[in-house]
Amino acid sequence: MTTATGPETSWPRRVPVSAAVRQSVTFAWRSILQIKHKPAELLDLSVQPVMFTLLFTYVFGGAIGGTPHDYLQFALGGLIVQNALFLSIYAAIGLSADLKQGLFDRFRSLPIARGAPLAGRVLADVVRQLWSLIVLLIVGVVLGFRLTTGLASLLGAFAVLTMFTVAFAWLPVWLGVLARDPEKVQVFGFVVVLPLTFTSNALVPLDTMPPWLRSWVSVNPVTQVNDTLRALLSGGPVGGPLTATVLWSAAFAAVFGTFSVRALRSRV
């Protein structure tokens, strides 16, 4: 007589890569469809970037950049990156809500890759961020921003931002898996993202900061992405900041992607 001792359901040991990719895309589509049922989310994706652009350009732009137009030419790249990092927190909040409601216990009974629900969240987050990027560029051009490079550089800016946000999103995802409450994810997320963005050169030039702060700002990953986007949108050296952005992206994906999957494994 034999007795079953293992769990009734569990994640499969191995899933083919092609199947894992398809499953991740399916989960991404599920997350995107939520906008259909919560149209206010699309409003947040559109209104927030416009509000920040208007606020910084016309309230602070004259004091920081001399004129709002000059400041916008400098700051739009940083505003795009800042907005993308803020949006990544909302993806983590949604993930935490799914975990709290037991949805991942249901996923565990399905023959899917362990990381597919997490990867789907990250992919859906990229779609949301690309939407906000397009909105920001349109608003920037209307306000006077001028793209001084070309179409290839513009597409390169899209690619760089996508690469970095996909990699960085694993950090909020990890927080979303660890936190037991979506409200805590919001608090923890802003505790991480706010210092990263405001101690970069997203909104003010590096040479206006005290010397003790410049050493950190110079290596801050957000500074590297800001400089890359500025170079691709307005001209300037691309090689150095792009190389640093690629290295930071690889580090974020490797470290926090691994942490996220391990945290999910221990929680469900």
Side-chain angles (χ1 to χ4, degrees):
M1 178 178 176
T2 60
T3 303
T5 57
E8 293 182 359
T9 59
S10 63
W11 301 100
R13 281 186 171 274
R14 290 187 179 279
V15 174
V17 174
S18 58
V21 171
R22 288 197 304 273
Q23 292 158 8
S24 300
V25 172
T26 300
F27 277 105
W29 181 242
R30 167 186 171 272
S31 295
I32 294 170
L33 280 181
Q34 291 178 351
I35 297 176
K36 178 181 177 182
H37 304 288
K38 298 178 181 176
E41 186 176 340
L42 185 60
L43 198 62
D44 288 341
L45 295 174
S46 306
V47 171
Q48 178 177 301
V50 173
M51 182 183 68
F52 274 106
T53 303
L54 292 174
L55 175 68
F56 282 100
T57 299
Y58 290 110
V59 177
F60 303 114
I64 299 174
T67 66
H69 176 268
D70 291 342
Y71 180 72
L72 181 64
Q73 199 69 26
F74 164 81
L76 187 63
L79 286 167
I80 289 171
V81 176
Q82 182 189 55
N83 183 68
L85 299 188
F86 283 161
L87 288 180
S88 66
I89 298 175
Y90 293 106
I93 293 173
L95 173 64
S96 179
D98 283 349
L99 284 164
K100 187 177 182 181
Q101 293 167 2
L103 199 57
F104 273 69
D105 293 328
R106 176 70 182 94
F107 292 158
R108 190 170 182 265
S109 68
L110 303 175
I112 59 174
R114 184 188 302 273
L118 300 182
R121 278 283 176 185
V122 172
L123 291 175
D125 187 43
V126 169
V127 174
R128 293 185 177 92
Q129 291 172 0
L130 288 178
W131 167 260
S132 294
L133 169 61
I134 293 171
V135 170
L136 266 176
L137 282 176
I138 293 174
V139 171
V141 170
V142 170
L143 295 181
F145 178 81
R146 291 296 174 260
L147 184 69
T148 58
T149 52
L151 179 60
S153 294
L154 178 61
L155 295 177
F158 274 82
V160 169
L161 187 68
T162 301
M163 175 191 66
F164 184 76
T165 52
V166 165
F168 181 84
W170 286 106
L171 172 55
V173 163
W174 180 52
L175 296 176
V177 176
L178 289 179
R180 298 290 174 177
D181 194 293
E183 284 74 19
K184 292 181 180 176
V185 178
Q186 186 169 6
V187 174
F188 294 155
F190 278 110
V191 166
V192 172
V193 171
L194 278 176
L196 270 177
T197 55
F198 282 96
T199 61
S200 74
N201 65 350
L203 303 174
V204 295
L206 179 64
D207 56 12
T208 64
M209 302 178 188
W212 59 267
L213 184 58
R214 292 179 197 170
S215 56
W216 157 246
V217 175
S218 299
V219 298
N220 184 341
V222 180
T223 296
Q224 307 305 325
V225 189
N226 295 336
D227 288 342
T228 306
L229 256 62
R230 284 186 183 122
L232 290 171
L233 296 176
S234 301
V238 179
L242 178 59
T243 301
T245 300
V246 171
L247 293 176
W248 273 113
S249 300
F252 274 116
V255 174
F256 293 108
T258 303
F259 285 178
S260 299
V261 173
R262 287 182 178 177
L264 180 64
R265 182 185 301 169
S266 63
R267 182 166 175 179
V268 298

